[in-house]
Amino acid sequence: MKQKLILALLALSFCIFPVNALSVDCASIALPEQAAYLERGTTWVAFRAASEAYGLAVYWDGEAAHAGEVTAQPGLGYLQVGDRYIPSAPIRLKNGTIWVPIRVMAAALGADVSWNAEREHVTVGAARNSDGQSFYDEQDLYWLSRIIHAEAQGESLQGKIAVGSVVMARVQSEDFPDTIYDVIFDTAGGVQFTPTKNGAIYNTPNEESVTAAKLVLEGEREAEGCLFFLDPRKSTSFWVPKNRTFCVSIGCHDFYY
């Protein structure tokens, strides 16, 4: 509700501010110069300047900057908006300023972005009203976060995302079931995920496992396209490495196509 009220009050007009050859349309108040820059095809915008342009007060708590329900913490690969996690290139902190890719910032505000390459001009539309609904299917988040936690609770965030990515790759594959739940509990050819047999799937996931699940549901991927993984130190079956193509090792897990 808080986010809905904030978004409903945002201005509908635009402003333009120059950054060398780059210009950006944003919300109604004027932004300072050097509030954005273009690097390797990505426009980075100053978190404070962009937030204030949309009428959001910004404060720093010692670790992260906050604007309404939007939180930007330097070094993390996502913006948090309430209970939503939007994947991003790692948030940057330069000379006391937090920088965020403009498309990620726009997504956090519910706005659209367009790019005119000829003019080197970015347009960020007005923020849209929130419908107050969750961004995630409740059952998908429930089961995806639990399989991630059961399989990778001791792994890094990258490792957790990789496990979730395997589940999503199977959902999208013609060779596996079409839903997250059915993929996790699939028994074709035997139990596919050991936690469904030993009961670990029912353990409450920790915060990072839930974060990883949300990022995966937002489209974040590691070991993209891989359909199998195992911990070679613990596995009792080596059918996968004998029959599938190796992709990458992340933490304790090896991933295969």
Side-chain angles (χ1 to χ4, degrees):
M1 180 60 69
K2 179 180 178 182
Q3 183 185 30
K4 184 175 182 179
L5 291 173
I6 290 172
L7 295 180
L9 294 173
L10 296 181
L12 297 178
S13 56
F14 301 99
C15 68
I16 300 176
F17 66 98
V19 185
N20 298 325
L22 175 69
S23 61
V24 178
D25 282 345
C26 57
S28 59
I29 67 171
L31 294 178
E33 293 185 1
Q34 305 306 319
Y37 64 91
L38 182 64
E39 179 182 284
R40 297 179 181 178
T42 297
T43 300
W44 292 79
V45 65
F47 180 77
R48 176 178 293 277
S51 299
E52 291 179 345
Y54 278 91
L56 301 176
V58 179
Y59 72 93
W60 172 258
D61 67 6
E63 292 185 353
H66 305 269
E69 290 197 328
V70 184
T71 298
Q73 182 169 337
L76 295 185
Y78 55 84
L79 276 186
Q80 184 177 352
V81 188
D83 69 347
R84 186 185 181 194
Y85 290 76
I86 302 176
S88 171
I91 307 302
R92 297 177 176 179
L93 178 61
K94 292 184 176 182
N95 300 320
T97 297
I98 293 178
W99 299 91
V100 180
I102 198 166
R103 290 188 180 277
V104 177
M105 190 69 196
L109 296 169
D112 295 316
V113 176
S114 61
W115 166 249
N116 185 315
E118 183 177 350
R119 295 173 56 205
E120 290 195 323
H121 182 92
V122 180
T123 300
V124 184
R128 297 183 297 273
N129 289 346
S130 169
D131 60 8
Q133 302 299 312
S134 172
F135 286 99
Y136 309 105
D137 180 273
E138 183 178 348
Q139 289 299 308
D140 285 349
L141 179 59
Y142 182 93
W143 291 113
L144 187 60
S145 61
R146 277 159 175 74
I147 194 62
I148 288 173
H149 182 73
E151 292 280 11
Q153 59 182 293
E155 297 295 310
S156 64
L157 180 61
Q158 180 189 22
K160 291 179 174 69
I161 291 172
V163 167
S165 298
V166 168
V167 174
M168 297 308 295
R170 289 190 174 201
V171 169
Q172 295 164 6
S173 171
E174 295 181 355
D175 298 327
F176 295 92
D178 297 331
T179 70
I180 289 173
Y181 177 88
D182 289 338
V183 161
I184 293 171
F185 288 92
D186 184 19
T187 57
V191 173
Q192 297 296 306
F193 294 93
T194 302
T196 64
K197 182 178 181 180
N198 62 24
I201 185 67
Y202 301 105
N203 293 339
T204 301
N206 59 23
E207 182 179 356
E208 189 171 68
S209 294
V210 175
T211 297
K214 290 180 177 180
L215 289 170
V216 170
L217 291 172
E218 291 277 359
E220 184 76 346
R221 296 290 183 267
E222 296 286 349
E224 187 164 11
C226 289
L227 296 168
F228 302 87
F229 67 89
L230 58 81
D231 183 340
R233 300 173 302 174
K234 297 180 179 179
S235 180
T236 58
S237 172
F238 291 92
W239 180 91
V240 170
K242 290 179 180 178
N243 293 276
R244 309 299 297 196
T245 302
F246 175 76
C247 172
V248 66
S249 293
I250 301 177
C252 295
H253 289 128
D254 292 343
F255 293 82
Y256 294 79
Y257 294 110

